[in-house]
Amino acid sequence: MRAAGESTDGRPAGGVRWVLVLSENWTMHSGGTPADLRTMVRWAQEAEDAGIDAVMVSEHVVLGPAAGAAGRMANPRDYAMPGNQDPDMPWPSSLLMLSAMAAVTERVRLAACAVISPLRHPLLLAKDFATLDALSGGRLVVQPTVSWHEEEYAALGVPFRERGARLDEQLEVWDAAWRASATGAPLRHEGRFWSFDDVWVSPGPARSQGPAMWFGGQAMHPALLRRLARHGSGWHPLGRPSEQDRAALAEALAPTGRTPSDLELVGGVRTTFPADDVCGSLPEALEAVPALVADGFTTLCVKPGQYTDDAAGMGAFCRELVRRSEALLA
């Protein structure tokens, strides 16, 4: 059966895949009570019914006082960024929330974005990612990150300045673990941070290569290029990439036989708030969509809390999003 908003040839609604950001919608609900968490799960169902391609949940494990060191966001509907957050801002466990969403949906992709993976052991995450990917029938997307909040690393006893190297080693462990689980072979690893011999990680993910992996950040740098070339299925830059960034990516991908067009290019739409206590305009924000699609973006993120305070109206918001994007790209 054709999903709502999907074309007969399987293209996404309106020629673009929409990712609904379900974390940090604090003006729609606080995010910190059982009722709020159940509301987020319901939103995933409503997004799927409306033809949204993916739902996204981000995370922090803990926040310290420096979370707001740059000055708290003027409008609480804005995106959480480094240094603009209230330290007691609720961040539910992203993988637990996505597991609940997986149980009540069938098609929508589950994007665990901004997973601060260096805070955990790679085998623990290999098991959690594989289990969620299997539970959802291969719908998991993971965007691992090293993040920015030094106090979070200190609280969990992980050296902040090692975070990039730890992520690189984790990626190798995950890749080896999922390949081993597909054959039933034991896993062995001798690395800078972790070493183990003759262990099995089972069950494996739905796909033998593991969940889809997105990588992104504020700037293109050598580590990001390596991760995209070696492990990436999607590129999620902050803003529009420059021609130099695109050329660097093409060069990094060339030895793999891939080109930048083989990666899912993930962007987003944002609004300008007319005042600090009101929502932005969805129609105005969507005016940027044709140019983004022309620039190569295939997938766009939208945070509903920027445009509505109505927690009960998520389904209507999603349907409006799909309808307007289809009209703009027709």
Side-chain angles (χ1 to χ4, degrees):
M1 178 180 296
R2 182 166 65 94
E6 185 180 65
S7 67
T8 55
D9 64 0
R11 289 183 295 105
V16 67
R17 297 180 179 90
W18 283 106
V19 181
L20 199 70
V21 180
L22 293 187
S23 49
E24 63 179 274
N25 289 292
W26 299 294
T27 52
M28 300 180 73
H29 69 162
S30 71
T33 71
D36 293 326
L37 302 184
R38 289 191 291 270
T39 295
M40 290 175 67
V41 174
R42 173 173 57 79
W43 285 345
Q45 293 176 291
E46 294 175 339
E48 178 171 88
D49 291 343
I52 299 298
D53 178 78
V55 292
M56 175 191 293
V57 181
S58 299
E59 71 165 17
H60 280 288
V61 179
V62 298
L63 290 176
R72 311 215 178 142
M73 58 185 80
N75 191 318
R77 298 164 183 83
D78 210 347
Y79 275 98
M81 299 293 284
N84 76 347
Q85 304 172 44
D86 192 322
D88 70 353
M89 187 174 286
W91 288 95
S93 167
S94 59
L95 296 184
L96 288 178
M97 289 304 304
L98 290 171
S99 294
M101 294 172 186
V104 298
T105 58
E106 296 180 353
R107 179 193 58 80
V108 70
R109 288 193 293 169
L110 308 164
C113 286
V115 174
I116 310 172
S117 59
L119 297 176
R120 288 113 158 161
H121 194 287
L123 288 177
L124 176 62
L125 280 175
K127 171 61 69 70
D128 286 347
F129 291 156
T131 300
L132 181 49
D133 192 55
L135 176 68
S136 66
R139 291 186 282 142
L140 180 61
V141 178
V142 176
Q143 183 172 325
T145 182
V146 298
S147 194
W148 53 273
H149 192 35
E150 190 166 356
E151 291 172 337
E152 188 169 21
Y153 277 81
L156 292 168
V158 179
F160 182 70
R161 299 192 184 282
E162 295 178 353
R163 65 197 191 281
R166 285 176 177 266
L167 172 55
D168 287 333
E169 188 170 333
Q170 287 179 317
L171 290 167
E172 297 303 323
V173 170
W174 299 340
D175 184 62
W178 295 327
R179 284 189 284 106
S181 69
T183 63
L187 176 64
R188 302 177 180 88
H189 176 76
E190 184 71 31
R192 174 181 171 188
F193 303 107
W194 301 281
S195 297
F196 37 84
D197 192 21
D198 287 342
V199 298
W200 283 259
V201 181
S202 182
R207 297 157 290 185
S208 60
Q209 70 272 29
M213 288 277 173
W214 292 351
F215 296 93
Q218 294 179 305
M220 185 66 85
H221 50 80
L224 176 56
L225 287 170
R226 290 196 309 270
R227 292 164 192 159
L228 283 166
R230 175 74 176 84
H231 306 280
S233 60
W235 179 23
H236 190 181
L238 186 62
R240 296 195 189 187
S242 67
E243 289 304 315
Q244 293 87 343
D245 289 344
R246 293 173 189 264
L249 180 59
E251 183 178 356
L253 289 173
T256 73
R258 296 191 296 166
T259 68
S261 63
D262 294 318
L263 298 183
E264 187 173 4
L265 184 56
V266 185
V269 296
R270 299 184 64 170
T271 187
T272 300
F273 299 107
D276 291 342
D277 59 349
V278 298
C279 297
S281 167
L282 180 64
E284 289 181 8
L286 293 182
E287 290 176 1
V289 168
L292 288 167
V293 171
D295 204 24
F297 286 93
T298 58
T299 304
L300 297 176
C301 304
V302 62
K303 189 174 85 160
Q306 290 201 317
Y307 309 99
T308 178
D309 291 335
D310 182 12
M314 185 64 77
F317 173 85
C318 293
R319 289 189 293 274
E320 180 185 4
L321 173 67
V322 169
R323 176 178 58 79
R324 288 185 179 276
S325 65
E326 286 180 330
L328 284 165
L329 296 172

